[in-house]
Short mmCIF file of all heavy atoms in Angstrom, two decimals:
data_model
loop_
_atom_site.label_atom_id
_atom_site.label_comp_id
_atom_site.label_asym_id
_atom_site.label_seq_id
_atom_site.Cartn_x
_atom_site.Cartn_y
_atom_site.Cartn_z
N LEU V 3 -32.95 19.88 -27.99
CA LEU V 3 -33.01 19.45 -29.39
C LEU V 3 -34.28 18.65 -29.66
O LEU V 3 -34.94 18.83 -30.67
CB LEU V 3 -31.78 18.60 -29.73
CG LEU V 3 -31.75 18.03 -31.15
CD1 LEU V 3 -31.72 19.16 -32.17
CD2 LEU V 3 -30.59 17.10 -31.32
N ILE V 4 -34.66 17.80 -28.73
CA ILE V 4 -35.86 16.97 -28.91
C ILE V 4 -37.09 17.85 -28.97
O ILE V 4 -37.97 17.66 -29.83
CB ILE V 4 -35.97 15.93 -27.77
CG1 ILE V 4 -34.82 14.93 -27.88
CG2 ILE V 4 -37.32 15.23 -27.82
CD1 ILE V 4 -34.75 13.95 -26.73
N GLN V 5 -37.19 18.83 -28.09
CA GLN V 5 -38.33 19.73 -28.11
C GLN V 5 -38.41 20.53 -29.40
O GLN V 5 -39.48 20.75 -29.96
CB GLN V 5 -38.27 20.69 -26.92
CG GLN V 5 -38.53 20.01 -25.59
CD GLN V 5 -38.29 20.94 -24.41
OE1 GLN V 5 -37.46 21.84 -24.49
NE2 GLN V 5 -39.02 20.71 -23.33
N THR V 6 -37.26 20.95 -29.90
CA THR V 6 -37.21 21.71 -31.14
C THR V 6 -37.68 20.84 -32.31
O THR V 6 -38.47 21.29 -33.16
CB THR V 6 -35.80 22.24 -31.40
OG1 THR V 6 -35.38 22.99 -30.27
CG2 THR V 6 -35.75 23.11 -32.63
N VAL V 7 -37.20 19.61 -32.35
CA VAL V 7 -37.60 18.68 -33.42
C VAL V 7 -39.09 18.43 -33.36
O VAL V 7 -39.79 18.42 -34.38
CB VAL V 7 -36.79 17.37 -33.35
CG1 VAL V 7 -37.37 16.32 -34.27
CG2 VAL V 7 -35.34 17.63 -33.68
N LEU V 8 -39.63 18.21 -32.17
CA LEU V 8 -41.06 17.98 -32.01
C LEU V 8 -41.88 19.20 -32.45
O LEU V 8 -42.90 19.07 -33.11
CB LEU V 8 -41.39 17.61 -30.58
CG LEU V 8 -40.99 16.21 -30.14
CD1 LEU V 8 -41.22 16.07 -28.63
CD2 LEU V 8 -41.75 15.16 -30.88
N LEU V 9 -41.41 20.38 -32.08
CA LEU V 9 -42.10 21.60 -32.45
C LEU V 9 -42.18 21.76 -33.96
O LEU V 9 -43.26 21.99 -34.52
CB LEU V 9 -41.41 22.82 -31.82
CG LEU V 9 -41.97 24.18 -32.24
CD1 LEU V 9 -43.37 24.36 -31.71
CD2 LEU V 9 -41.06 25.28 -31.73
N TYR V 10 -41.04 21.64 -34.64
CA TYR V 10 -41.02 21.79 -36.08
C TYR V 10 -41.77 20.66 -36.78
O TYR V 10 -42.43 20.85 -37.80
CB TYR V 10 -39.59 21.91 -36.60
CG TYR V 10 -38.97 23.26 -36.28
CD1 TYR V 10 -37.79 23.34 -35.57
CD2 TYR V 10 -39.59 24.43 -36.69
CE1 TYR V 10 -37.22 24.57 -35.26
CE2 TYR V 10 -39.03 25.67 -36.38
CZ TYR V 10 -37.84 25.72 -35.68
OH TYR V 10 -37.30 26.94 -35.39
N GLY V 11 -41.68 19.46 -36.23
CA GLY V 11 -42.41 18.32 -36.81
C GLY V 11 -43.91 18.53 -36.74
O GLY V 11 -44.62 18.31 -37.72
N CYS V 12 -44.38 18.94 -35.58
CA CYS V 12 -45.83 19.19 -35.42
C CYS V 12 -46.29 20.33 -36.31
O CYS V 12 -47.37 20.27 -36.89
CB CYS V 12 -46.15 19.50 -33.97
SG CYS V 12 -45.98 18.08 -32.87
N THR V 13 -45.47 21.35 -36.42
CA THR V 13 -45.82 22.49 -37.28
C THR V 13 -45.93 22.05 -38.73
O THR V 13 -46.88 22.44 -39.44
CB THR V 13 -44.77 23.60 -37.15
OG1 THR V 13 -44.68 23.98 -35.76
CG2 THR V 13 -45.14 24.80 -37.98
N ALA V 14 -44.99 21.24 -39.18
CA ALA V 14 -45.02 20.76 -40.57
C ALA V 14 -46.25 19.88 -40.81
O ALA V 14 -46.92 20.02 -41.83
CB ALA V 14 -43.74 19.97 -40.87
N VAL V 15 -46.55 18.99 -39.88
CA VAL V 15 -47.72 18.11 -40.05
C VAL V 15 -49.00 18.91 -40.07
O VAL V 15 -49.88 18.67 -40.91
CB VAL V 15 -47.75 17.04 -38.94
CG1 VAL V 15 -49.07 16.30 -38.92
CG2 VAL V 15 -46.60 16.06 -39.11
N CYS V 16 -49.12 19.90 -39.19
CA CYS V 16 -50.32 20.74 -39.17
C CYS V 16 -50.46 21.53 -40.48
O CYS V 16 -51.55 21.65 -41.01
CB CYS V 16 -50.28 21.70 -37.98
SG CYS V 16 -50.54 20.87 -36.40
N ALA V 17 -49.37 22.07 -40.96
CA ALA V 17 -49.41 22.83 -42.20
C ALA V 17 -49.83 21.94 -43.37
O ALA V 17 -50.68 22.34 -44.18
CB ALA V 17 -48.05 23.47 -42.47
N LEU V 18 -49.27 20.75 -43.44
CA LEU V 18 -49.66 19.84 -44.51
C LEU V 18 -51.12 19.42 -44.40
O LEU V 18 -51.82 19.30 -45.41
CB LEU V 18 -48.76 18.59 -44.49
CG LEU V 18 -47.31 18.81 -44.92
CD1 LEU V 18 -46.48 17.55 -44.69
CD2 LEU V 18 -47.23 19.23 -46.37
N TYR V 19 -51.57 19.20 -43.18
CA TYR V 19 -52.97 18.81 -42.98
C TYR V 19 -53.91 19.90 -43.42
O TYR V 19 -54.91 19.66 -44.09
CB TYR V 19 -53.18 18.48 -41.50
CG TYR V 19 -54.55 17.95 -41.19
CD1 TYR V 19 -54.97 16.71 -41.68
CD2 TYR V 19 -55.43 18.68 -40.41
CE1 TYR V 19 -56.23 16.22 -41.41
CE2 TYR V 19 -56.69 18.21 -40.13
CZ TYR V 19 -57.09 16.97 -40.63
OH TYR V 19 -58.34 16.50 -40.35
N LEU V 20 -53.59 21.14 -43.09
CA LEU V 20 -54.43 22.27 -43.49
C LEU V 20 -54.41 22.46 -44.99
O LEU V 20 -55.44 22.72 -45.61
CB LEU V 20 -53.98 23.55 -42.78
CG LEU V 20 -54.26 23.58 -41.28
CD1 LEU V 20 -53.67 24.84 -40.68
CD2 LEU V 20 -55.75 23.53 -41.01
N VAL V 21 -53.25 22.30 -45.61
CA VAL V 21 -53.16 22.46 -47.06
C VAL V 21 -53.94 21.35 -47.76
O VAL V 21 -54.56 21.57 -48.81
CB VAL V 21 -51.68 22.46 -47.50
CG1 VAL V 21 -51.55 22.31 -49.00
CG2 VAL V 21 -51.01 23.74 -47.02
N ALA V 22 -53.97 20.18 -47.18
CA ALA V 22 -54.63 19.03 -47.81
C ALA V 22 -56.13 19.02 -47.60
O ALA V 22 -56.79 18.04 -47.90
CB ALA V 22 -54.03 17.73 -47.26
N GLY V 23 -56.71 20.08 -47.09
CA GLY V 23 -58.15 20.15 -46.93
C GLY V 23 -58.61 19.91 -45.50
O GLY V 23 -59.80 19.75 -45.26
N GLY V 24 -57.70 19.87 -44.58
CA GLY V 24 -58.07 19.65 -43.19
C GLY V 24 -58.83 20.81 -42.59
O GLY V 24 -59.57 20.64 -41.64
N TYR V 25 -58.68 21.98 -43.19
CA TYR V 25 -59.39 23.16 -42.68
C TYR V 25 -60.90 22.92 -42.71
O TYR V 25 -61.59 23.21 -41.74
CB TYR V 25 -59.03 24.40 -43.49
CG TYR V 25 -59.80 25.61 -43.06
CD1 TYR V 25 -59.50 26.27 -41.88
CD2 TYR V 25 -60.88 26.09 -43.81
CE1 TYR V 25 -60.23 27.38 -41.46
CE2 TYR V 25 -61.60 27.19 -43.41
CZ TYR V 25 -61.27 27.83 -42.24
OH TYR V 25 -61.99 28.91 -41.83
N LYS V 26 -61.38 22.36 -43.80
CA LYS V 26 -62.83 22.09 -43.89
C LYS V 26 -63.25 21.07 -42.86
O LYS V 26 -64.30 21.19 -42.24
CB LYS V 26 -63.17 21.55 -45.28
CG LYS V 26 -63.23 22.60 -46.36
CD LYS V 26 -63.68 21.98 -47.66
CE LYS V 26 -63.78 23.01 -48.75
NZ LYS V 26 -64.22 22.41 -50.03
N THR V 27 -62.44 20.06 -42.67
CA THR V 27 -62.75 19.02 -41.69
C THR V 27 -62.82 19.61 -40.28
O THR V 27 -63.76 19.33 -39.53
CB THR V 27 -61.69 17.90 -41.74
OG1 THR V 27 -61.60 17.42 -43.07
CG2 THR V 27 -62.04 16.78 -40.81
N ILE V 28 -61.84 20.41 -39.93
CA ILE V 28 -61.80 21.02 -38.60
C ILE V 28 -62.99 21.97 -38.43
O ILE V 28 -63.66 21.95 -37.41
CB ILE V 28 -60.48 21.77 -38.39
CG1 ILE V 28 -59.31 20.79 -38.37
CG2 ILE V 28 -60.52 22.60 -37.12
CD1 ILE V 28 -57.94 21.45 -38.42
N ARG V 29 -63.26 22.77 -39.45
CA ARG V 29 -64.37 23.72 -39.38
C ARG V 29 -65.71 23.00 -39.21
O ARG V 29 -66.54 23.38 -38.40
CB ARG V 29 -64.40 24.58 -40.65
CG ARG V 29 -65.44 25.66 -40.64
CD ARG V 29 -65.54 26.36 -41.96
NE ARG V 29 -65.99 25.39 -42.96
CZ ARG V 29 -65.84 25.52 -44.26
NH1 ARG V 29 -65.19 26.57 -44.74
NH2 ARG V 29 -66.29 24.62 -45.09
N ASN V 30 -65.92 21.93 -39.99
CA ASN V 30 -67.18 21.18 -39.89
C ASN V 30 -67.30 20.50 -38.54
O ASN V 30 -68.40 20.44 -37.97
CB ASN V 30 -67.26 20.16 -41.01
CG ASN V 30 -67.44 20.81 -42.37
OD1 ASN V 30 -67.88 21.95 -42.46
ND2 ASN V 30 -67.08 20.08 -43.41
N TYR V 31 -66.21 20.00 -38.00
CA TYR V 31 -66.24 19.35 -36.68
C TYR V 31 -66.66 20.35 -35.60
O TYR V 31 -67.51 20.06 -34.77
CB TYR V 31 -64.87 18.76 -36.37
CG TYR V 31 -64.76 18.17 -34.99
CD1 TYR V 31 -65.30 16.92 -34.71
CD2 TYR V 31 -64.14 18.86 -33.95
CE1 TYR V 31 -65.21 16.38 -33.42
CE2 TYR V 31 -64.06 18.34 -32.69
CZ TYR V 31 -64.58 17.10 -32.43
OH TYR V 31 -64.50 16.58 -31.17
N ILE V 32 -66.06 21.54 -35.64
CA ILE V 32 -66.37 22.55 -34.64
C ILE V 32 -67.83 22.99 -34.78
O ILE V 32 -68.54 23.14 -33.80
CB ILE V 32 -65.41 23.75 -34.76
CG1 ILE V 32 -64.00 23.31 -34.34
CG2 ILE V 32 -65.86 24.92 -33.92
CD1 ILE V 32 -62.93 24.32 -34.59
N ARG V 33 -68.28 23.20 -36.02
CA ARG V 33 -69.68 23.61 -36.22
C ARG V 33 -70.64 22.54 -35.72
O ARG V 33 -71.68 22.85 -35.14
CB ARG V 33 -69.94 23.85 -37.70
CG ARG V 33 -69.41 25.18 -38.19
CD ARG V 33 -69.84 25.44 -39.60
NE ARG V 33 -69.31 26.72 -40.06
CZ ARG V 33 -69.41 27.15 -41.30
NH1 ARG V 33 -70.02 26.40 -42.21
NH2 ARG V 33 -68.91 28.31 -41.65
#
Side-chain angles (χ1 to χ4, degrees):
L3 177 63
I4 294 174
Q5 289 173 330
T6 305
V7 169
L8 287 173
L9 175 67
Y10 287 124
C12 290
T13 303
V15 169
C16 288
L18 289 173
Y19 185 66
L20 289 175
V21 167
Y25 176 74
K26 283 184 179 180
T27 305
I28 294 169
R29 185 187 64 200
N30 291 339
Y31 175 78
I32 292 172
R33 282 187 181 173

